[in-house]
Amino acid sequence: MQQIRKWLRRGDAANDLHLPPELDRPFRAIFFDWDGTAVVNRKEDASAFARVAEGLLRQGVWLAVVTGTNFGNIDRQFCQVVAPDLRHHLLIGTNRGSEFYGFDGTGQAVRRYLRVATPDEDRQLTAVTEEVARQLRETYGLTVQIVADRLNRRKVDLIPEPAWADPPKARIGELLTAVEARLAAAGVPGGLHGVIALGEQVAEAQGLHARVTSDVKNLEIGLTDKADAVAWLYREFLEPTGIAWHDVLIGG
């Protein structure tokens, strides 16, 4: 998608865009990630992307954002830039599969799904995250921070340094190098993969059926992930509307 956006900016998309046969055809729905896919970062002006989206929405194509961030970020940067009378074909899956939003006929957002953690799950999320952070600090002397203000998940910031306070997805390669170097210097076996494995082991030991993922900067321990978002789209959207997977394009 970023490459298509570059062609559009140059104004010669028709001459440069040569798609393989599998993609050179109409699709009834497009599912895509946000940061690093539709836009470079959450501060970018997404109006050009919104104009392309509106062209698809006018043709009845469904667009579904599947992202780890919250709805407010996507609404501000994208949804509010799309014409209200076209938003009814937009679906926004946020917080790593924990909630979904759609829009009514007037363009107002309507939450269609919310995963609510039980009190026990909430306590377990905190306990697992604190134990992972404790082991990283005490066993390896690694300075980490816990981020607890996310829906249905906790984060362990593996590189709580000012230079990496809010890294854009465009720098993920540099971020990965920095995180792996930091973990290697602390003697963490397996680097980032080892930290993920540690999170899985602690969650299992404490009886929490967790989704343990990473955006490179953080180890994320949650109740849902983007696979849950796609499962929701299949169950609540594709099946009821009769849209087959063959007619869905997924970009991420």
Side-chain angles (χ1 to χ4, degrees):
M1 283 191 179
Q2 287 191 52
Q3 186 61 52
I4 292 174
R5 291 167 60 251
K6 290 177 184 176
W7 287 323
L8 290 173
R9 285 173 181 159
R10 292 210 311 266
D12 57 359
N15 295 327
D16 284 0
L17 185 55
H18 300 291
L19 296 174
E22 296 83 2
L23 299 178
D24 192 14
R25 61 181 180 83
F27 290 89
R28 296 179 63 187
I30 303 175
F31 303 165
F32 54 95
D33 196 0
W34 190 246
D35 296 356
T37 299
V39 294
V40 174
N41 58 60
R42 296 174 203 159
K43 297 179 182 178
E44 183 183 9
D45 180 357
S47 57
F49 180 82
R51 299 292 81 79
V52 175
E54 286 180 335
L56 294 167
L57 295 168
R58 285 193 184 93
Q59 297 179 64
V61 178
W62 285 86
L63 302 181
V65 177
V66 176
T67 180
T69 192
N70 63 71
F71 177 72
N73 286 333
I74 307 301
D75 190 46
R76 170 190 55 79
Q77 191 176 12
F78 177 49
C79 303
Q80 292 301 314
V81 189
V82 174
D85 62 331
L86 296 176
R87 295 176 195 163
H88 57 85
H89 265 50
L90 275 179
L91 293 168
I92 312 296
T94 60
N95 280 300
R96 291 195 178 276
S98 279
E99 59 181 350
F100 258 94
Y101 288 81
F103 295 86
D104 63 19
T106 67
Q108 294 299 307
V110 178
R111 187 159 62 186
R112 296 183 55 178
Y113 171 73
L114 174 64
R115 168 72 158 90
V116 180
T118 67
D120 282 343
E121 287 174 328
D122 207 52
R123 283 191 293 269
Q124 285 178 303
L125 281 172
T126 298
V128 170
T129 307
E130 289 179 346
E131 176 60 18
V132 170
R134 185 195 67 79
Q135 290 194 33
L136 290 174
R137 289 168 182 150
E138 295 183 5
T139 305
Y140 304 105
L142 193 67
T143 299
V144 297
Q145 290 182 356
I146 293 175
V147 180
D149 61 343
R150 298 296 189 270
L151 179 64
N152 294 334
R153 70 185 193 276
R154 308 285 188 273
K155 295 183 179 183
V156 179
D157 187 345
L158 302 174
I159 187 165
E161 300 173 358
W164 296 106
D166 187 21
K169 288 294 177 69
R171 296 185 64 196
I172 196 167
E174 297 173 61
L175 175 61
L176 178 60
T177 299
V179 169
E180 291 287 17
R182 194 168 191 267
L183 296 174
V188 179
L192 185 56
H193 287 290
V195 173
I196 293 171
L198 173 63
E200 292 172 339
Q201 292 163 8
V202 173
E204 183 178 0
Q206 301 213 20
L208 178 65
H209 183 61
R211 307 289 198 275
V212 182
T213 59
S214 176
D215 62 359
V216 179
K217 176 176 171 60
N218 304 282
L219 176 73
E220 300 201 17
I221 300 165
L223 303 179
T224 61
D225 60 17
K226 292 181 181 179
D228 292 292
V230 175
W232 186 93
L233 285 166
Y234 175 71
R235 182 178 67 251
E236 303 295 335
F237 166 59
L238 294 181
E239 278 198 320
T241 56
I243 297 177
W245 280 117
H246 175 76
D247 292 319
V248 179
L249 176 64
I250 298 179

